[in-house]
Amino acid sequence: SEILTFKDIWVEYGEKIVLERVSLSISEGSFVSIVGPSGAGKSTFLRLALGQEAPTRGQVLLDGKALLPQCDPDRGVVFQRYSVYPHLTALQNVLLGLEFAKSPFLGRLYGKARRDAIQTATDMLTAVGLQHNLNIYPSALSGGMQQRLAIAQALVKHPRVLLLDEPFGALDPEIRLEMHDLILRLWAQHGLTILMVTHDLQEAFKLATRVIKVDKRRHDPHAPHRYGSGII
Ligand code: ADP
Ligand code: ADP
């Protein structure tokens, strides 16, 4: 069944058309990669799916209903960098993910609720292999470990949809392969629907059940902004 639907979407910034009449249905449980040149509108897709940005025209639907803006536990997101807070430890970062919709302050949780939150966050960190780094700050973690932490933060509330924007783009090739194993395992274990933007075609075809290319449908060198991207 369909979990996420982009219906006749246009995204415009003033004169500039970024996405033009884009329709796309994402099946629940699928792993969709979005590829395409820089500036084509790939990240715009993720912002729409996240509800961070509203389309100029058209609708984004989750389970057939209009998206609630931001702070929705149904969607987790990981960016290439800076997805986690540098002034919080690994555990605190994941607790923040857990409490996001309510309050970022664990300080408001007491007793059993507090112990449960810490246990849930610790379990999630264990699932990504960070069980020995609970009280470490992100700056003391390698790039791959920081992305593991970002994934733990994004998944701790068990969202149904995981949005990934070039999540492995800054990592060394071997580490990238480890991250591929991790993300495929989490995808299967959590029954996730994944939408991943990547520049790496090989990565896109290796991981995804469906690869979508976003690009300008037409080119007019005199007025490129007149034409938005579509799915090609
Ligand atoms: P991609 O992820 O494919 O590189 P983006 O989705 O980030 O592309 O951006 C698509 C286009 O929209 C780019 O040309 C970018 O400059 C433009 N854009 C994005 N955000 C804004 C904004 N707030 N105002 C104006 N233009 C924007
Ligand atoms: P302890 O009593 O051992 O210091 P706490 O119960 O205070 O443990 O906190 C448990 C974990 O939650 C620790 O890693 C702590 O740093 C973190 N933590 C405490 N308060 C907050 C907060 N307001 N926001 C996020 N994390 C917090």
Side-chain angles (χ1 to χ4, degrees):
S1 68
E2 227 167 76
I3 184 163
L4 201 56
T5 312
F6 298 84
K7 230 169 126 181
D8 225 2
I9 296 286
W10 294 69
V11 173
E12 299 169 23
Y13 297 109
E15 286 275 279
K16 189 184 170 83
I17 302 174
V18 177
L19 296 178
E20 180 180 326
R21 221 181 60 243
V22 175
S23 292
L24 173 68
S25 291
I26 309 250
S27 310
E28 180 142 32
S30 62
F31 192 143
V32 177
S33 277
I34 302 178
V35 300
S38 268
K42 302 185 296 299
S43 301
T44 301
F45 254 106
L46 294 196
R47 285 198 300 275
L48 289 169
L50 204 56
Q52 269 182 358
E53 180 168 336
T56 314
R57 274 176 274 169
Q59 281 184 301
V60 186
L61 306 172
L62 186 72
D63 291 325
K65 284 170 285 189
L67 275 189
L68 296 170
Q70 265 157 338
C71 289
D72 189 324
D74 264 331
R75 284 152 291 160
V77 65
V78 175
F79 301 101
Q80 184 170 348
R81 292 195 180 90
Y82 313 120
S83 298
V84 297
Y85 292 88
H87 60 287
L88 297 180
T89 64
L91 182 61
Q92 289 170 339
N93 263 291
V94 177
L95 285 167
L96 190 67
L98 193 59
E99 285 299 297
F100 199 72
K102 279 196 276 177
S103 149
F105 302 110
L106 183 66
R108 292 198 193 157
L109 286 179
Y110 298 97
K112 184 172 184 312
R114 186 183 186 87
R115 286 193 299 278
D116 286 350
I118 291 170
Q119 187 61 53
T120 302
T122 304
D123 290 346
M124 194 64 235
L125 282 158
T126 304
V128 300
L130 288 179
Q131 63 275 18
H132 302 301
N133 302 90
L134 302 184
N135 299 312
I136 304 281
Y137 286 91
S139 59
L141 296 172
S142 67
M145 304 267 254
Q146 286 184 24
Q147 289 310 79
R148 284 173 187 267
L149 176 57
I151 290 167
Q153 189 188 60
L155 290 185
V156 69
K157 276 197 100 116
H158 297 290
R160 294 160 66 211
V161 180
L162 179 62
L163 305 166
L164 303 170
D165 198 345
E166 297 272 4
F168 315 129
L171 305 176
D172 292 338
E174 309 135 64
I175 305 297
R176 215 183 269 216
L177 293 181
E178 288 175 22
M179 298 304 284
H180 289 171
D181 291 344
L182 174 70
I183 206 70
L184 287 174
R185 182 162 56 76
L186 293 170
W187 175 50
Q189 277 174 359
H190 292 246
L192 291 167
T193 303
I194 299 184
L195 204 53
M196 177 183 76
V197 166
T198 179
H199 266 108
D200 182 342
L201 272 185
Q202 223 184 329
E203 177 173 275
F205 281 99
K206 172 183 171 187
L207 298 179
T209 53
R210 183 177 174 198
V211 178
I212 286 165
K213 185 170 185 205
V214 176
D215 203 354
K216 302 273 182 212
R217 290 198 183 100
R218 289 162 293 187
H219 289 281
D220 177 348
H222 301 295
H225 65 278
R226 296 281 305 279
Y227 302 105
S229 292
I231 292 168
I232 62 170

